[in-house]
Amino acid sequence: TEFARPFFVVGDQIWRPPMGLMVIMCSRFLGLGICNVTVRRHTALAVGGFNADFTGMYEDQVFISRVLVSHPVYVLQAYLARYRYHPASFTRRLKEAGRFNEGVAHADTIRFVDWLLAHLACHGIDDPWLHRMVEAQRGSRAGPAQRLRVVVAALFKRALRQILPIRWHRRLLLIDYQRECRRARQSYTRLAAKLTQRALERAGR
């Protein structure tokens, strides 16, 4: 089954720092996939390329964050890539093992947030709202009961994939995907309203 990610902005746009970072921080669903990002060589060199301290997880996010913090980006409203989900992916294996789950504090996520906050400080970006969005990426500390729920949920999802007919399992994936789309649209709508309010406040000064 193929899924098409919906567009959340109307028409092609130019995001100037730190707008792009705000957009991808407001919802994980709006993150930029490295497979459909094109960066000029001199820009990649200017931001220091990929960070060797991040491997396996968050290496893409670190590089993209470096670009969004210091350079304007052009957002093209077109489908440029196909992304294949498969059970052997690094993140999927971590999730099924109960070692990584959205919204729950994870050592690699915390390290990325700490790095990003320091990076923003180095570039003189002290926007309180952006900082709150970045801090929110840490996730909540999981107690014993929550960790147990995470493990049970991971085992349940794995069992569903093994026992359900393929078409039923794909249908469940589609329903979950549609739910994520609705949540992402709501996040982007709140972001757009907030940015509009801030622009009006600045214009009235």
Side-chain angles (χ1 to χ4, degrees), residues 46-60:
V47 301
F50 285 80
N51 189 329
D53 294 333
F54 289 85
T55 58
M57 291 185 68
Y58 290 102
E59 66 270 28
D60 296 351

Side-chain angles (χ1 to χ4, degrees), residues 109-150:
T109 306
I110 293 171
R111 192 159 66 96
F112 168 67
V113 169
D114 289 341
W115 170 87
L116 183 53
L117 290 173
H119 191 66
L120 291 174
C122 287
H123 284 76
I125 300 176
D126 59 356
D127 187 297
W129 190 48
L130 175 57
H131 279 239
R132 286 196 297 272
M133 283 196 291
V134 174
E135 284 283 2
Q137 304 299 311
R138 292 183 188 273
S140 58
R141 295 288 179 178
Q146 187 171 2
R147 285 197 294 269
L148 178 60
R149 286 196 297 270
V150 166

Side-chain angles (χ1 to χ4, degrees), residues 5 15 17 20 23 34-36 57 87 111-112 119 126 130 141 172 174 184 190 196-197 199:
R5 288 182 72 166
W15 287 343
V23 171
I34 199 69
C35 60
N36 56 10
M57 291 185 68
R111 192 159 66 96
F112 168 67
H119 191 66
D126 59 356
L130 175 57
R141 295 288 179 178
L172 287 178
L174 178 59
R190 287 194 296 269
T196 300
Q197 178 185 351

